[in-house]
Amino acid sequence: MQHESRLVRGLSRRGFLGLTAAGAAAALSGCAGGTGATAAGPPRPGGRLRAAFSGGGAAEVLDPHETDLYIEIARAKALFDKLADYGSDMSPQPRLAERWEPSRDLLTWRITLRQAAFHDGRPVRPADVLASFARIVEPGSSRRAKASLQVIDLPGSRELDDRTVEFRLKRPYAEFPNALATLGAYIVPEGTTGFDRPVGSGPFRFVSFQPGRNFVAARNPDHWDGAPHLDELEIVVTNDEAARVNALLGGQVEYAHDLTPTSARTHENTGRVQVHRLPLSNFHGLVMKTDRPPFDRPELRQAMFHLVNRDELVRSVLQGSGQLCNDLYGKGYRYYADALPQRAQDLDRARALIKQAGAEGLAIDFDTSDASTGLKEAALAIADQAGQAGLNLNVRLGNKDTYWSDIAKNGVLASYRSGAMPLESHISQRLLTTSTTNNTRWQRPDFDALYHEAQSTADDARREQLYFQMQDRLHREGGFLWWGVSDWIVASAPNVGGVDDRAPANTLDWARYDRVWLA
């Protein structure tokens, strides 16, 4: 996929942030003076909810195993189910799996399925589960869930009866339910070959889809977890954040995904919309590719760790609505290495490391995009900070429709952000030699061995020690730099009820429209 970019010229970081804030405020002009959002009242059936998301243009897919964008994930969870999903506390919650039971050696896991049916009436069977996972991990696949599921010995796994599947694993895996909950691990009917008119077991049934424009689904009255309140769900593409807000204010949509802190503050108490701050699930950072110049030099990666002013980024980019991170993912989650001292900007140390890496005065392309809020603002701010240490970061604005796939393949330095997932899933999907979304190209067999040892023990204390060792190494020489974490912000019309304010992005109750109603 060709990378489309242009150089961001003639605009300082402070000037850019000022224009962004002013634009957001202008988009919400006339909204001041309210007394708070109107309560939606008790649940009631009926109606069509229209939800606005940033999209990916003509490249968008309905194949649930190929989901990458938030809009694709929202559509997939409307149509399909997984065996498990992440709860608001990042623990795996049973979904199509009624329960699971490991063997003593953690090499065999027995899963009992719920009594659930696909939209065409066929029951969900162990054969569907095994076929879905085989499709995800098939040779040549780069599907997101592959890294987590390839631990399964599928030829050795089997159907025990019409509701029980036994997974045999290639190695012990203490946190195997996390793999069942991983993004993209959806169950489709055995024999599925296309998704023009997808059939799943989710709370909504497919009606229509126009890539880059809109998606419509209808209520599934027979869903195993109860029928949705809504008659229909429509997900529309609106890439510009101000346009999403305007559509909400103008009554064209009832739900707007991914707002900036500025927009949220502007409209919070107007009575025209409800703001939902999904707690500390929006991780902000950058990626450095460790397998190619110049960031194959660990000294230069360390220089980046020392030159970034995290306090300023939280103030300017997150508008003070976030918290500092310490270059590691998952602040506040289980196993997070909070014992490591918080890094602060040290320009003298950064300059010394840049000199040691032979990178004084080096110009480095820094990719960013409008694909998600805050990416561009962060890149401009970091480029200013790098200049103070003698490093010239050349900020390039990429194609928002293809940004995430572009930076996975191309470039050396890019803006990045992530929703929520357990620390174990972050490592298995992004930091192992076999990870299919390893955007930093961090491939270290000894690091892989620490992860595998952690998963082979049932001793929580020992596992915590191993996670600390992995994070300590990433903190010193990894390719991710996570500088902040903020709430994920969405908004809804005053007549919308059932939006869960406790659910981080990517978890079960985020974008869960089967529990939403219109007053």
Side-chain angles (χ1 to χ4, degrees):
M1 189 175 298
Q2 186 174 355
H3 179 69
E4 301 177 24
S5 62
R6 62 180 176 85
L7 184 61
V8 178
R9 289 192 178 99
L11 188 60
S12 71
R13 184 261 309 168
R14 288 182 178 85
F16 186 88
L17 292 177
L19 288 174
T20 301
L28 291 163
S29 60
C31 298
T35 58
T38 303
R44 60 186 295 266
R48 173 188 282 199
L49 179 102
R50 297 163 297 180
F53 279 71
S54 178
E60 291 176 3
V61 299
L62 285 181
D63 184 340
H65 300 154
E66 301 284 359
T67 55
D68 191 39
L69 307 173
Y70 287 107
I71 191 171
E72 292 173 336
I73 297 168
R75 287 191 297 247
K77 71 189 302 180
L79 295 175
F80 301 93
D81 288 308
K82 295 186 287 188
L83 293 180
D85 211 339
Y86 303 133
S88 297
D89 64 352
M90 293 296 107
S91 65
Q93 304 296 309
R95 296 298 290 159
L96 284 176
E98 189 172 74
R99 60 183 179 273
W100 47 70
E101 181 182 3
S103 61
R104 185 178 295 275
D105 62 5
L106 302 175
L107 279 169
T108 303
W109 287 76
R110 185 168 294 182
I111 311 294
T112 301
L113 300 179
R114 298 185 189 276
Q115 292 183 328
F118 291 110
H119 298 152
D120 59 7
R122 286 180 287 171
V124 178
R125 307 159 302 148
D128 302 307
V129 173
L130 293 169
S132 297
F133 286 2
R135 181 175 187 268
I136 291 168
V137 304
E138 64 188 0
S141 160
S142 59
R143 297 178 174 112
R144 176 188 287 270
K146 182 176 183 178
S148 297
L149 296 180
Q150 61 189 1
V151 68
I152 301 172
D153 173 13
L154 282 170
S157 301
R158 57 182 179 148
E159 174 182 341
L160 296 183
D161 57 43
D162 60 359
R163 287 183 56 206
T164 310
V165 58
E166 184 178 85
F167 288 113
R168 183 70 180 172
L169 307 186
K170 299 173 184 176
R171 59 178 180 272
Y173 193 176
E175 298 178 276
F176 181 59
N178 280 340
L180 307 180
T182 196
L183 292 172
Y186 293 96
I187 306 306
V188 302
E190 183 185 21
T192 298
T193 58
F195 294 91
D196 291 339
R197 297 193 62 83
V199 173
S201 63
F204 293 92
R205 295 172 173 173
F206 174 80
V207 174
S208 65
F209 175 52
Q210 295 178 291
R213 296 185 62 185
N214 80 324
F215 160 86
V216 178
R219 177 178 182 266
N220 175 13
D222 303 316
H223 190 239
W224 62 268
D225 198 24
H229 301 297
L230 300 169
D231 289 332
E232 289 185 313
L233 167 67
E234 181 178 9
I235 298 177
V236 300
V237 175
T238 311
N239 283 323
D240 182 72
E241 188 263 355
R244 289 196 294 277
V245 173
N246 278 334
L248 182 61
L249 293 171
Q252 286 83 42
V253 301
E254 290 78 35
Y255 180 102
H257 188 250
D258 196 10
L259 269 65
T260 65
T262 301
S263 293
R265 277 200 306 272
T266 302
H267 94 112
E268 198 135 31
N269 296 308
T270 65
R272 299 183 64 186
V273 296
Q274 302 177 81
V275 173
H276 308 279
R277 298 177 179 273
L278 313 182
L280 297 179
S281 61
N282 194 3
F283 289 88
H284 306 264
L286 56 82
V287 291
M288 300 170 279
K289 283 195 166 54
T290 63
D291 68 336
R292 63 193 67 170
F295 291 108
D296 56 345
R297 293 292 303 267
E299 299 90 349
L300 191 56
R301 301 197 298 273
Q302 291 162 8
M304 292 295 296
F305 291 142
H306 287 288
L307 68 81
V308 168
N309 186 330
R310 296 158 190 79
D311 293 281
E312 182 186 354
L313 290 168
V314 169
R315 283 195 307 272
S316 61
V317 178
L318 305 184
Q319 299 290 295
S321 66
Q323 297 182 14
L324 297 182
C325 278
N326 195 23
D327 303 330
L328 296 171
Y329 179 83
K331 184 174 184 177
Y333 296 170
R334 188 183 185 190
Y335 302 125
Y336 179 74
D338 52 12
L340 291 172
Q342 173 66 52
R343 274 206 184 101
Q345 186 184 48
D346 185 342
L347 292 175
D348 289 338
R349 180 62 177 150
R351 292 185 190 103
L353 287 163
I354 290 169
K355 183 176 181 179
Q356 187 177 344
E360 291 175 295
L362 182 66
I364 302 171
D365 287 337
F366 187 1
D367 293 313
T368 192
S369 172
D370 289 317
S372 295
T373 58
L375 292 179
K376 183 165 50 181
E377 296 89 338
L380 289 164
I382 291 169
D384 273 4
Q385 295 169 6
Q388 298 171 38
L391 204 60
N392 179 19
L393 301 185
N394 176 35
V395 178
R396 304 189 303 178
L397 190 65
N399 182 344
K400 62 181 179 297
D401 291 342
T402 60
Y403 177 70
W404 300 108
S405 59
D406 288 341
I407 66 168
K409 302 171 186 175
N410 307 314
V412 294
L413 178 67
S415 295
Y416 203 78
R417 76 170 186 168
S418 173
M421 64 178 67
L423 190 59
E424 183 275 330
S425 299
H426 166 68
I427 293 173
S428 66
Q429 291 182 29
R430 294 169 171 163
L431 292 166
L432 302 182
T433 300
T434 55
S435 294
T436 49
T437 53
N438 189 340
N439 285 328
T440 65
R441 300 294 196 272
W442 176 261
Q443 297 176 330
R444 306 290 190 273
D446 54 343
F447 183 91
D448 297 352
L450 286 174
Y451 169 80
H452 293 147
E453 183 182 350
Q455 292 310 311
S456 69
T457 178
D459 184 338
D460 285 346
R462 175 57 181 160
R463 194 180 310 119
E464 186 167 2
Q465 291 174 353
L466 292 164
Y467 273 119
F468 183 87
Q469 290 180 45
M470 285 183 271
Q471 291 174 89
D472 180 53
R473 183 169 180 188
L474 293 169
H475 191 252
R476 288 183 282 107
E477 57 182 280
F480 276 117
L481 189 163
W482 300 99
W483 54 261
V485 59
S486 63
D487 295 343
W488 197 283
I489 306 174
V490 301
S492 62
N495 67 324
V496 175
V499 177
D500 195 323
D501 290 330
R502 303 163 301 169
N506 287 344
T507 61
L508 170 62
D509 292 322
W510 162 81
R512 189 175 179 186
Y513 300 114
D514 58 315
R515 296 294 177 89
V516 169
W517 67 89
L518 298 174

